[in-house]
């Protein structure tokens, strides 16, 4: 879809859908929202819906940042301590690498 | 239409074919694959992992042939192009050098050991000094002074190399054309002249033996959980184990398990398996084969006399598998007897006679070992003394020197120890060593036919070698005769029969040739079922116990024992192979095993004539009870398991220097960047460059 050919109202609707969808543990929707609507929210000259789009994009960005922080922390801890945790880690793991502890 | 499509398919196929051929030829130009290599693989027990491991893609290193120990410095510190792939002559394959390589392992990509065609002069045993130290009978609660080989170190020459863990691959190479090719490659490209490093390209080798299991059996069995709830259902290791072979002089009902009323049994036991640092080339001629060949010959000698004049007690022949790895076979049989899961139970056992290593009896004589702890009980002591007396009275009529070690000396490592753990049973172990092992090559690749002096004149054909009388066979025939007579006496047989019990020299010749030279011989071909012919080859069977589904060797022993003790019955193939045909109680498959074997080719025929053999010989599972109980931490039972792997291989090729590699990479990147830039420029100036007056294409959705 080419965002240039969509009316501002439709853009707002779309932005809101992506923002709300992100709450269903789908941080990638927020990522898409931020990337996709960044220009409309912050770069383009002002228009009526811009304020709301700006809010959605900011919140999506915030949510994304939280997700990134949480996941990075967990993955670091998991990768670092997996071999020490032994049995617990094996049950937590979906795929266990072959040949290393 | 059809024609056209067919044509296309043919074209496509040709393309694929051509493509495949093209790929192969490039690979062949770069790599030389080494055949006849034997890897060291990873084994695990309740607490440790041992063996070797390469990285997932295989480890590559510049070949360096080690000439002497002083040469190690080049590999470990001064050489300019690490990592190195060290090629060791077998004389340098010592604990000292291997540990130095292990500790410098960041500069070591792997090790290849050249297996010599003749045995070394020095002693070499990669096994521990106290085999099966923790799973025998002696412990803090049973003869504490004898635990952990405190009284006698059985294998003082053992350097424990087989129980080390190496984080690089180690392969064994046969000394042949492949090894010669490596030498040529090394001399041409890698040779260090006057201490100056040779220039690139250098000859390199890649060894791949990536192991899936890691840490210990507890971990790998947990990860091998293939239940539907498992997130990751991939088996990474398998328990070691195979099948025990057993047979009896009188048929025992094998369907009704547990205690048999009015049945007393004399067990005659021997061990089947052995190991080496490289599992694929373990032969155990002295450590395993000498014992079980003697027992097979003794069983053959007793076949006729027990059929005509059966002694009051039954003789039960047992051949245990996996004894090298903490008594897998015997611990399982004892466990089955305790759980009423075997044809007899422990209370049926009258006594036990085990044949250990006997192949070198001409060097050090034969010795009868017994357990000093159980002999503190008077009745047991009486029985043991009587058994030893029987042995000695029989031996005086033969040219065998037979002695008794000091009474306070404990039993050597033997399956009998597992029976003693469960119950006090009178018994002796017959071996060729008074205290420590006579065997200089215990559980190594040199414990082979040559070590037993089993050599044949070179000008003989395989069939003539097969029938050739060797001194080794003569010696073992004597021992087998002694064992057979003693067994008959111990089973309560009449003294008048003893003189007629004689092991057959020709049988021992055939057994030695079949089990230590090649399984493909006329006797084995005749006694195995037609569908098992493909397992007979120009080499001995593999003596390493392996993982549970591998039972070729156990089956072979079963066929031999069935042939030596069973009888040919005149029934059709259908009746022989169909288990339900025997309704008569005395002939039913509860009592006997029926086997359809290939048979011999009659003098005037072209095809072998198969026939049916009836015997009491059976297989019994030899898998450690620890796996049955899922108690992988077990300290009572063997917990050894073998890792799985996907690919094992070795190849050599020439590697270019770092500079050349970097130059190639840099060129590639430069070409990529240039082409990207060019595309961008062309794209942005497209209107100007391709202005043909046409409208620029519309942007699309």
């Amino acid at each position: 879809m080419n965002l240039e050919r969509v009316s501002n109202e439709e853009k707002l609707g779309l932005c809101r859908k992506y923002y709300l969808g992100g709450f269903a543990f789908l941080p990638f929707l927020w990522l898409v929202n931020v990337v996709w609507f960044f220009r409309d929210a912050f770069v383009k000259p002002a228009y009526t819906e811009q304020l709301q789009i700006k809010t959605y994009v900011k919140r999506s960005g915030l949510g994304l940042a939280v997700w990134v922080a949480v996941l990075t922390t967990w993955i670091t801890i998991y990768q670092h301590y997996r071999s020490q945790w032994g049995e617990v880690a094996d049950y937590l793991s979906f795929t266990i690498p072959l040949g290393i502890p | 239409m059809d024609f056209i499509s067919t044509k296309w398919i043919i074209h496509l196929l040709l393309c694929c074919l051509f493509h495949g051929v093209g790929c192969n030829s490039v690979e062949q130009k770069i790599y030389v694959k080494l055949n006849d290599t034997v890897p060291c693989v990873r084994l695990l027990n309740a607490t440790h992992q041992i063996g070797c491991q390469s990285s997932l893609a295989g480890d590559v290193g510049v070949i360096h042939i080690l000439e002497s120990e002083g040469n190690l410095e080049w590999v470990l510190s001064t050489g300019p192009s690490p990592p190195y792939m060290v090629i060791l002559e077998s004389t340098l394959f010592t604990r000292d050098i291997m540990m130095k390589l292990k500790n410098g392992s960041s500069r070591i990509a792997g090790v290849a050991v050249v297996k010599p065609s003749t045995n070394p002069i020095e002693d070499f045993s990669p096994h521990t000094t106290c085999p099966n130290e923790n799973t025998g009978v002696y412990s803090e609660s049973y003869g504490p002074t004898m635990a952990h080989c405190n009284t006698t170190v059985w294998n003082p020459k053992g350097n424990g190399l087989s129980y080390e863990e190496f984080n690089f691959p180690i392969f064994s190479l046969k000394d042949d054309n492949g090894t010669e090719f490596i030498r040529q490659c090394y001399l041409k490209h890698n040779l260090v002249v006057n201490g100056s490093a040779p220039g690139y390209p250098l000859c390199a080798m890649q060894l791949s033996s990536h192991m899936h299991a890691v840490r210990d059996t507890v971990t790998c069995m947990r990860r091998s959980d293939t239940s539907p709830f498992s997130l990751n259902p991939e088996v990474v290791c398998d328990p070691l184990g195979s099948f025990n072979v057993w047979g009896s002089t009188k048929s025992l009902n094998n369907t009704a398990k547990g205690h048999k009323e009015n049945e007393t049994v004399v067990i005659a036991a021997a061990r089947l398996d052995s190991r080496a640092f490289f599992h694929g080339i373990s032969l155990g001629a002295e450590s395993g084969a000498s014992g079980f060949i003697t027992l097979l010959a003794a069983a053959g000698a007793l076949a006729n006399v027990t059929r005509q004049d059966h002694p009051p007690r039954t003789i039960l022949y047992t051949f245990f598998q996996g004894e090298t790895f903490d008594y897998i076979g015997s611990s399982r049989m004892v466990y089955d007897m305790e759980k009423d899961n075997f044809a007899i139970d422990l209370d049926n056992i009258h006594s036990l006679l085990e044949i250990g290593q006997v192949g070198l009896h001409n060097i050090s004589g034969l010795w009868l070992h017994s357990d000093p702890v159980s002999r503190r009980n008077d009745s047991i002591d009486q029985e043991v003394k009587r058994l030893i007396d029987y042995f000695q009275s029989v031996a005086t009529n033969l040219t065998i020197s037979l002695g008794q070690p000091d009474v306070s000396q404990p039993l050597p490592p033997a399956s009998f120890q597992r029976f003693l753990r469960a119950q006090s049973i009178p018994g002796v172990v017959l071996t060729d060593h008074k205290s420590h092992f006579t065997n200089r090559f215990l559980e190594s690749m040199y414990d082979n036919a040559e070590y037993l002096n089993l050599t044949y004149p070179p000008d003989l054909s395989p069939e003539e070698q097969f029938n050739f009388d060797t001194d080794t066979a003569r010696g073992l025939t004597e021992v087998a005769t002694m064992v057979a007579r003693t067994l008959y006496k111990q089973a309560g047989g009449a003294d008048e029969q003893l003189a007629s019990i004689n092991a057959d020299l020709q049988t021992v010749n055939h057994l030695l040739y079949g089990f230590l030279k090649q399984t493909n011989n006329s006797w084995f071909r005749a006694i195995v079922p037609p569908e098992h012919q493909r397992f007979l080859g120009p080499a001995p069977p593999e003596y390493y116990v392996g993982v549970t589904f591998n039972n070729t060797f156990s089956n072979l022993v079963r066929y031999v024992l069935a042939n030596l003790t069973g009888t040919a019955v005149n029934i059709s193939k259908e009746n022989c192979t169909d288990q339900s045909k025997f309704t008569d109680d005395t002939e039913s498959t509860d009592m006997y095993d029926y086997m359809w074997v290939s048979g011999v080719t009659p003098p005037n025929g072209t095809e072998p004539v198969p026939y049916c053999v009836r015997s009491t010989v059976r297989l019994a599972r030899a898998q450690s009870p620890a796996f049955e109980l899922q108690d992988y931490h077990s300290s009572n039972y063997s917990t050894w398991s073998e890792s799985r792997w996907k690919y094992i291989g070795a190849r050599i090729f020439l590697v270019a220097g770092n500079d050349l590699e970097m130059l190639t990479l840099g060129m590639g990147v430069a070409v990529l960047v240039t082409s990207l830039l060019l595309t961008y420029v062309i794209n942005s100036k497209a209107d100007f460059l391709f202005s043909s007056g046409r409208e620029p294409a519309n942007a699309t959705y």
Side-chain angles (χ1 to χ4, degrees):
Chain A
M1 184 184 278
N2 191 340
L3 215 52
E4 303 301 320
R5 299 169 161 258
V6 178
S7 73
N8 285 340
E9 271 169 57
E10 269 181 83
K11 276 185 202 167
L12 179 60
L14 209 57
C15 186
R16 199 210 331 265
K17 271 185 204 156
Y18 271 72
Y19 167 66
L20 294 176
F23 283 105
F25 303 103
L26 298 168
F28 270 93
L29 286 190
W30 284 339
L31 175 69
V32 171
N33 213 8
V34 171
V35 171
W36 220 11
F37 287 103
F38 189 80
R39 279 161 76 126
D40 291 271
F42 298 107
V43 181
K44 286 208 175 146
Y47 53 94
T48 354
E49 289 86 357
Q50 199 184 30
L51 207 62
Q52 267 185 291
I53 290 185
K54 215 182 238 176
T55 324
Y56 289 142
V57 171
K58 275 181 186 163
R59 287 183 187 173
S60 298
L62 190 71
L64 180 67
V66 170
W67 266 101
V68 168
V70 168
L71 282 181
T72 318
T73 318
W74 167 243
I75 291 167
T76 315
I77 293 173
Y78 170 79
Q79 293 293 353
H80 197 259
Y81 292 103
R82 188 183 59 80
S83 62
Q84 292 173 33
W85 288 343
E87 193 170 351
V88 179
D90 279 1
Y91 292 126
L92 281 177
S93 304
F94 195 73
T95 49
I96 301 170
L98 296 173
I100 56 172
Chain B
M1 180 68 198
D2 257 350
F3 176 66
I4 291 170
S5 62
T6 323
K7 211 168 114 183
W8 270 108
I9 288 170
I10 290 173
H11 272 189
L12 267 174
L13 278 179
L14 274 177
C15 278
C16 288
L17 204 67
F18 186 73
H19 187 72
V21 169
C23 279
N24 267 342
S25 73
V26 170
E27 197 191 332
Q28 277 164 13
K29 274 179 186 148
I30 300 175
Y31 299 109
V32 178
K33 210 170 164 342
L34 297 171
N35 303 320
D36 276 335
T37 57
V38 184
C40 146
V41 300
R42 176 175 283 173
L43 299 180
L44 310 102
N45 70 3
T47 50
H48 287 81
Q49 58 179 9
I50 59 167
C52 317
Q53 151 105 325
S54 80
S55 61
L56 186 59
D59 290 337
V60 181
V62 173
I63 290 179
H64 185 84
I65 298 184
L66 205 66
E67 280 136 10
S68 68
E69 199 171 340
N71 214 225
L72 263 178
E73 202 189 329
W74 180 265
V75 200
L76 290 174
S77 54
T78 54
S81 40
Y84 284 100
M85 191 63 77
V86 185
I87 314 276
L88 286 180
E89 292 297 337
S90 59
T91 45
L92 297 174
F93 182 53
T94 58
R95 183 179 177 89
D96 201 30
I97 290 182
M98 287 310 289
M99 292 325 260
K100 277 182 187 158
L101 293 175
K102 183 183 168 178
N103 295 331
S105 61
S106 62
R107 286 176 61 94
I108 306 297
V111 173
V113 181
V114 182
K115 180 183 185 280
S117 40
T118 53
N119 282 353
I121 305 150
E122 307 86 33
D123 301 338
F124 178 77
S125 169
H127 211 63
T128 52
T129 50
C130 185
N132 293 350
E133 182 179 344
N134 298 313
T135 42
V137 67
Y138 302 109
S139 65
E140 275 61 41
S141 56
Y142 191 100
T145 52
M146 301 163 210
H148 308 291
C149 295
N150 271 342
T151 327
T152 315
V153 177
W154 295 108
N155 186 30
K157 287 139 194 162
N159 61 25
L161 214 48
S162 289
Y163 289 86
E164 286 295 333
E165 207 240 323
F166 297 94
N167 53 5
F168 48 75
I170 305 179
F171 277 57
S172 158
L173 308 170
K174 218 167 150 189
D175 199 359
D176 61 1
N177 294 344
T179 321
E180 196 44 43
F181 188 82
I182 297 172
R183 278 205 190 94
Q184 292 305 326
C185 189
Y186 172 77
L187 289 177
K188 195 169 163 197
H189 297 281
N190 298 11
L191 197 64
V192 184
V193 187
N194 300 330
S196 65
Y200 285 97
L202 291 171
C203 196
M205 185 189 246
Q206 184 182 41
L207 298 179
S208 313
S209 62
H210 181 252
M211 298 290 137
H212 290 183
V214 76
R215 194 179 283 172
D216 50 34
T217 299
V218 185
T219 306
C220 81
M221 289 308 287
R222 183 175 66 235
R223 290 182 181 180
S224 299
D225 178 18
T226 49
S227 69
F229 305 108
S230 164
L231 290 174
N232 190 28
E234 181 166 2
V235 177
V236 293
C237 69
D238 301 287
L240 289 188
S242 180
F243 287 89
N244 294 327
V245 184
W246 66 276
S248 49
T249 50
K250 193 178 82 190
S251 70
L252 297 167
N253 189 335
N254 194 37
T255 312
K257 310 278 187 186
H259 189 73
K260 294 258 188 310
E261 288 299 325
N262 306 323
E263 188 74 67
T264 51
V265 168
V266 176
I267 293 184
R271 158 163 82 101
L272 289 178
D273 74 308
S274 43
R275 69 170 300 197
F277 185 85
F278 303 102
H279 298 155
I281 44 177
S282 60
L283 206 58
E286 155 73 348
S287 65
S290 67
F292 78 75
I293 286 175
T294 305
L295 186 55
L296 282 171
L302 283 168
N304 269 330
V305 68
T306 50
R307 221 172 282 138
Q308 287 151 12
D309 185 7
H310 195 277
R313 301 187 189 100
T314 307
I315 302 168
L316 184 83
Y317 308 108
T318 56
F319 298 85
F320 294 118
Q321 262 283 16
E323 296 297 278
T324 318
F325 294 96
D326 291 331
Y327 305 116
I328 296 174
S330 53
S331 66
R332 179 55 184 267
M333 189 171 279
V334 171
Y335 175 82
D336 282 345
M337 285 180 179
E338 283 173 331
K339 300 275 176 231
D340 285 346
N341 212 357
F342 192 73
I344 56 163
D345 76 352
L346 289 165
D347 293 327
N348 285 125
I349 301 173
H350 171 262
S351 52
L352 190 147
L353 194 164
E354 179 168 347
I355 325 286
Q357 313 180 53
V358 292
L360 302 171
H361 62 98
N362 49 353
I363 300 176
S364 47
L366 285 172
W367 299 88
L368 291 167
H369 299 262
S370 56
D371 170 43
V373 181
S374 59
R375 282 182 75 174
R376 284 175 203 155
N377 177 322
D378 276 343
S379 63
I380 300 275
D381 189 45
Q382 293 285 317
E383 287 291 335
V384 174
K385 272 188 181 141
R386 188 181 306 150
L387 179 52
I388 290 172
D389 285 346
Y390 286 163
F391 255 113
Q392 266 156 351
S393 70
V394 166
T396 46
N397 295 329
L398 300 160
T399 54
I400 289 178
S401 106
L402 187 66
Q404 261 189 90
D406 191 24
V407 188
S408 62
Q409 183 176 278
L411 281 175
S415 315
F416 181 33
Q417 292 201 17
R418 292 302 303 196
F419 284 84
L420 284 173
R421 267 176 88 116
Q423 198 160 317
S424 275
I425 294 168
V428 296
V429 179
L430 177 73
T431 68
D432 59 9
H433 52 87
K434 186 179 178 189
S435 59
H436 66 78
F437 294 156
T438 311
N439 193 347
R440 299 191 293 128
F441 299 130
L442 188 84
E443 316 294 5
S444 79
M445 56 182 162
Y446 310 122
D447 189 359
N448 50 18
E450 186 194 336
Y451 187 44
L452 284 190
N453 272 328
L454 187 69
T455 43
Y456 300 95
D459 50 332
L460 295 187
S461 71
E463 193 59 31
E464 285 166 333
Q465 289 189 356
F466 176 60
N467 289 315
F468 186 76
D469 279 349
T470 55
D471 288 339
T472 317
R474 266 187 218 106
L476 285 184
T477 311
E478 285 272 280
V479 181
T481 304
M482 178 184 72
V483 169
R485 289 180 184 176
T486 311
L487 275 173
Y488 191 69
K489 235 176 135 153
Q490 178 70 4
D495 276 355
E496 304 83 69
Q497 295 282 10
L498 290 188
S500 67
I501 301 172
N502 284 298
D504 180 31
L505 172 62
Q506 195 67 326
T507 307
V508 180
N509 275 327
H510 292 172
L511 286 167
L512 283 169
Y513 185 84
F515 282 114
L516 297 175
K517 282 288 177 183
Q518 56 175 13
T519 51
N520 185 8
N521 58 62
S522 54
W523 186 36
F524 282 10
R525 279 199 299 275
I527 63 171
V528 308
E531 66 270 20
H532 283 238
Q533 290 286 349
R534 64 198 165 91
F535 295 122
L536 301 180
E542 189 170 320
Y543 285 84
Y544 163 63
V545 55
V547 292
T548 318
F549 42 80
N550 169 26
N551 55 7
T552 319
F553 172 44
S554 295
N555 262 323
L556 195 55
V557 174
R558 173 182 162 215
Y559 302 138
V560 172
L561 186 61
N563 177 267
L564 290 171
T565 61
T567 44
V569 281
N570 191 15
I571 51 174
S572 69
K573 185 181 180 184
E574 287 70 37
N575 288 353
C576 187
T577 47
D578 186 352
Q579 305 291 317
S580 59
K581 289 281 174 181
F582 305 96
T583 43
D584 187 354
D585 276 352
T586 55
E587 288 193 342
S588 75
T589 48
D590 295 344
M591 306 301 284
Y592 288 104
D593 179 64
Y594 290 83
M595 210 156 51
W596 189 252
V597 302
S598 303
V600 286
T601 312
N604 51 358
T606 51
E607 285 288 303
V609 183
Y611 62 98
C612 190
V613 175
R614 186 178 75 181
S615 70
T616 59
V617 181
R618 314 222 182 222
L619 294 181
R621 207 168 180 80
Q623 190 190 49
S624 167
F627 294 93
E628 195 87 340
L629 299 163
Q630 303 204 339
D631 174 17
Y632 309 124
H633 292 285
S634 178
S635 52
N636 291 330
Y637 297 116
S638 164
T639 49
W640 287 105
S641 63
E642 183 187 89
S643 169
R644 287 201 177 180
W645 59 81
K646 278 210 178 65
Y647 173 74
I648 280 182
R651 57 189 188 179
I652 59 175
F653 53 96
L654 292 178
V655 285
N658 249 343
D659 300 349
L660 190 61
E661 275 175 3
M662 282 301 144
L663 186 68
T664 316
L665 183 69
M667 294 274 281
V669 172
V671 168
L672 178 74
V673 170
T674 319
S675 68
L676 282 178
L677 276 176
L678 209 63
T679 317
Y680 179 76
V681 171
I682 291 172
N683 199 32
S684 56
K685 302 280 179 205
D687 288 353
F688 173 73
L689 286 170
F690 305 108
S691 58
S692 59
R694 229 175 26 157
E695 283 280 305
N698 282 331
T700 47
Y701 255 70

